Amino acid sequence: MKPRIEPPRSADRLLEWFCAPHLLEDIQGDLHEEFAYQVKHIGERRARWLYWWEILGFVQPRYIKRKSAPYPKIYLISPNMIRSYFKIAWRNLVAGKSFSFINIVGLAIGMAGTCLIVLWLQNEISFDTFHANKDRIYQVYGLSGNVDGEAFAISVTSQPLGPALKKDYPEVEAVARVKGISSFLVTANDKSITGIEGNIVDPSFLQLFSFPLLKGVENKQLGNLHSIVITEKLAKKLFGEEEALNKTIQIDVADNFIVTGILKDLPPNTDFSFEYLLPWDYLKKRGEGYNNESWLSNNTPTYVLLKPNTNAAAFEAKIKDMTRRYAGRDDVWTHFIFPLSQWHLYSEFENGKSVGGRIETVRTFGLIAAFILLIACINFMNLSTARSEKRAKEVGIRKAAGAGKGLLIGQFMMEAFLTAGIAGIVALLIVQFALPSFNTLINTQLVVPYSNVSYWLWALAFLVFTSLLAGSYPAFYLSSFNPIGIFKKQFKKSQAAVSPRKVLVVIQFTFAILLIISTVVVRNQIQYAQDREMGYSKNNLIHVDFVGDIDKNYSLIKQELINSGSVTSVTKTMGGITQNGWHTWGLRWPGEAPKDTNTTLTLFSSDANFVKTADLKLIEGRDIDITNYPTDSFSVLLNETAVKLMNFKNPVGQLIFSKDAKTKWQVVGVVKDYVSGSPYEDIPPIVIQGPGAWFNTMHIKLNSAHSTADNLAKAEQVFKKYNAAYPFDYQFVDQEYANQFENEQRTKTLSGLFATLAIFISCLGLFGLASFVAEQRTKEIGIRKVLGASVPNLWGLLSKDFVVLVLISLFIASPVAYYFMNGWLQQYSYRTEISWWIFAAAGVGALSITLLTVSFQAIKAALMNPVKSLKTE
């Protein structure tokens, strides 16, 4: 006899779960008989499918359980039920005004801080993603074989590389070279402006990149030598409300251009920065100093647009040795391509490989945003569970009246949604008012996209997520109370040494202390670099870039400036003294080691009086002085680091040779190391060349015997005389030096701001917890006072638990902060140490803030009349 085939057990379990008990036996019996019949006539497999289908057909309101059962109930949420939830939630919010205020303010500040960070993060990760061809755009990089013992990547190439790529490789759809300029004088409508950022580009630039064209003919804006494309911003500067298209703009008082296109102003989320575009042919017209057809001179960013479905890796392998082939040398750069998606966030290279960049900052502040929101939600959790005794009777009555756990969870979640909703509205107002200041702080222009439907959908999702995060634990915790225990007064608050509430408080303060320590470390690093001996005097020192006729009339300008008494010294140089100079390698010298010739050297230049003008410390020899020593065209100064590298015992008089030994320079002096470039980096070996080098800047030492305003007024008259078409633009060296601390100052301010927010939100929750603890222990405090306890004793009694939690947070946060901040400091060669006092100061600060927060409620409870306490309790 064949064994009987049973129906699917999982289907029976489903039926038993939802079916009303008084109907279950009849329905299940009929279904089993039907199943046995179907097995005989249509087969077991089809009978099982049919059995499932018939059971699902009973999922109707009339068959569903109505009374309590061992399984959770299925509830059909009706509008009336939601309305009831809302009314009760609103009444509870109004009834506990102080509790509600703390919750709403804490959540609002946490949500606002998170929203500001998320707006910035969204801006960071969206850089240049608006370009239509973003997935096919690459930048061509150069890669050296061995510099300072490792491969070295640069983001510029030779100028001939671009056209050769287009000509030699069918995979290339378009190529664009970009040459940034900011020294041109732009004139129109009798208005002249300098310092405007512009680009000289190949005509295909606007084919590669999708900068919206407002006016002009598509793809024909840079079609001839005398065409110019400008942005809305520049159009308004030059022409006001007049129509700018087809108007004439003059560049450098020499060349006229017709406006053939007007672009929409560049968005804040792009790495490009320009207000006008000029055709590449104009660079050729400008000649020397701009146009350079040498394959050995890397000075131009080059971008390629690959054709659809091109294998980028295979293309990269093809172009790797391109410069070597054209230059006919094996000791020059190779090439690789870098995708647009990584330009902004992964722009730092080590040993020729991308190792990160701003992505580290994005990740860090993403974590900060998450923790700030978590801290705000922890407040809600802690305060809600702290009020558990007050809500216990409510839960007991509701359960006794037939409310299941699901209904109670729904009620408490509604309270969380209502609180989060109100906090969300307040947070939006905070964001709106704080956004201008936040934009100034981070140096960008973020906006809240109110007209974007996706923004509101994300905002709603964020609100729901916050509500679930904040409300889920209290909802499940409060709905789990046993009504019998509540009415028998067997309900006890947790006295465990480790409770969820204590853990949450520790999490809050751990993060807050971590931010405090981080802020102090960043501040110390900035101060450490600012206190560094610069090696030169930046006071009363300015530099003026060569524009117009300054270079041609330099000797006359220099002499008249000195004769006017407004300056004491003048020198012309290769860039500003605060800049990095020109990096090179391959120089030779007597006694060199093979590895030394591959060490990066920093080239600088001066015609005369550089030591005097910058107030450098001359250790040996003399300054370069082309006036008194005509042969100084091929003389150099070395700094101490360069002398150590070259291992010169008596450096003055030594010779240095070019790589091909065709050019030689004589060392005439040694200067003390001075900070060139970043104040956070080690001082590099510097070679200061004489007038044989090129120059683009003059440094001027103002006369300290006169006021700065008088000195500048006299200097302006001289420059107007010899360079009349251009305004007198100058930069103070001390201000440029200060600007090098901007990024770290911004990081310090942001970390300090969010540390303050974290502490404030944590203290709000602490204040609420302290008030509930004091309220719960009213009778105990009264008895202790009757027995002779003093106010300090009672204050210590109520404060010690919170102090212990903060100390635990300090012990957890300290090693974590040390690990991360020590890693952060490794990016700087010149860095401070993380001292023990930082952790001690952070602990004292956190304890002081905690005691100030808790003391109000503790002292208030300690001062209460014990007769009143015992009577009311």
Side-chain angles (χ1 to χ4, degrees), residues 743-778:
N743 286 336
E744 285 70 24
Q745 290 280 14
R746 188 176 297 118
T747 301
K748 182 193 77 171
T749 305
L750 284 172
S751 58
L753 171 65
F754 293 122
T756 303
L757 281 183
I759 284 288
F760 180 75
I761 296 169
S762 300
C763 287
L764 270 180
L766 212 58
F767 182 84
L769 281 177
S771 65
F772 283 116
V773 169
E775 184 179 341
Q776 288 172 342
R777 302 179 73 172
T778 300

Side-chain angles (χ1 to χ4, degrees), residues 59-98:
V59 183
Q60 301 179 36
R62 57 183 174 175
Y63 299 116
I64 293 174
K65 292 176 182 177
R66 296 260 192 299
K67 296 186 179 181
S68 58
Y71 296 97
K73 298 181 181 180
I74 295 178
Y75 293 101
L76 302 176
I77 304 299
S78 67
N80 287 334
M81 185 177 292
I82 294 175
R83 190 158 48 247
S84 174
Y85 281 167
F86 181 82
K87 284 181 180 179
I88 296 169
W90 177 255
R91 288 169 184 166
N92 282 322
L93 284 180
V94 173
K97 292 184 179 64
S98 59

Side-chain angles (χ1 to χ4, degrees), residues 471-522:
S472 55
Y473 170 62
F476 282 96
Y477 176 77
L478 295 172
S479 63
S480 66
F481 293 162
N482 183 0
I484 296 175
I486 293 170
F487 293 126
K488 286 185 175 182
K489 297 187 177 180
Q490 295 173 345
F491 175 79
K492 301 286 184 185
K493 65 180 187 297
S494 174
Q495 298 291 343
V498 179
S499 66
R501 196 179 309 152
K502 291 178 180 178
V503 171
L504 293 174
V505 171
V506 168
I507 292 173
Q508 279 185 310
F509 274 89
T510 297
F511 179 66
I513 293 171
L514 195 153
L515 279 179
I516 291 173
I517 294 171
S518 301
T519 303
V520 175
V521 172
V522 175

Side-chain angles (χ1 to χ4, degrees), residues 600-815:
T600 303
L601 297 170
T602 296
L603 292 183
F604 205 67
S605 63
S606 168
D607 66 328
N609 299 319
F610 181 54
V611 171
K612 179 181 177 182
T613 305
D615 198 18
L616 297 176
K617 305 298 184 292
L618 191 63
I619 298 175
E620 293 184 49
R622 60 174 176 82
D623 193 0
I624 293 172
D625 186 354
I626 190 65
T627 304
N628 296 317
Y629 301 92
T631 58
D632 273 2
S633 291
F634 292 94
S635 296
V636 296
L637 296 173
L638 302 179
N639 72 341
E640 293 174 292
T641 302
V643 171
K644 291 176 184 176
L645 171 69
M646 298 175 183
N647 200 28
F648 288 155
K649 302 300 181 184
N650 298 296
V652 175
Q654 295 283 355
L655 295 177
I656 299 175
F657 303 89
S658 62
K659 189 173 184 178
D660 57 10
K662 293 181 179 179
T663 307
K664 63 181 179 181
W665 299 269
Q666 185 178 42
V667 179
V668 297
V670 178
V671 296
K672 187 176 179 62
D673 281 345
Y674 66 92
V675 177
S676 171
S678 172
Y680 299 106
E681 301 300 326
D682 289 334
I683 294 175
I686 300 175
V687 177
I688 304 169
Q689 295 178 313
W694 57 276
F695 304 97
N696 61 8
T697 301
M698 59 191 297
H699 283 79
I700 302 170
K701 189 73 169 182
L702 301 178
N703 192 339
S704 59
H706 307 301
S707 69
T708 301
D710 288 342
N711 288 333
L712 291 175
K714 290 179 181 179
E716 184 175 12
Q717 293 176 3
V718 174
F719 278 93
K720 280 293 184 184
K721 179 179 178 180
Y722 293 102
N723 196 39
Y726 291 76
F728 175 48
D729 285 336
Y730 55 89
Q731 291 79 39
F732 281 98
V733 171
D734 58 354
Q735 184 58 53
E736 286 198 334
Y737 188 76
N739 290 342
Q740 300 198 58
F741 297 93
E742 278 187 354
N743 286 336
E744 285 70 24
Q745 290 280 14
R746 188 176 297 118
T747 301
K748 182 193 77 171
T749 305
L750 284 172
S751 58
L753 171 65
F754 293 122
T756 303
L757 281 183
I759 284 288
F760 180 75
I761 296 169
S762 300
C763 287
L764 270 180
L766 212 58
F767 182 84
L769 281 177
S771 65
F772 283 116
V773 169
E775 184 179 341
Q776 288 172 342
R777 302 179 73 172
T778 300
K779 185 174 181 180
E780 176 191 346
I781 292 169
I783 294 172
R784 287 180 180 273
K785 285 196 75 173
V786 170
L787 294 175
S790 64
V791 171
N793 293 145
L794 295 173
W795 172 77
L797 176 71
L798 294 174
S799 303
K800 68 177 182 180
D801 288 344
F802 296 108
V803 170
V804 169
L805 294 180
V806 173
L807 287 174
I808 293 172
S809 300
L810 175 64
F811 284 116
I812 295 173
S814 294

Side-chain angles (χ1 to χ4, degrees), residues 383-423:
L383 294 177
S384 297
T385 54
R387 297 177 75 234
S388 56
E389 286 190 70
K390 286 194 169 186
R391 305 293 298 268
K393 286 186 179 180
E394 174 192 344
V395 172
I397 292 171
R398 287 178 178 276
K399 283 196 170 185
K405 187 174 182 179
L407 286 173
L408 291 171
I409 290 173
Q411 174 62 57
F412 293 125
M413 287 305 301
M414 177 57 76
E415 292 182 18
F417 277 108
L418 182 58
T419 303
I422 297 172

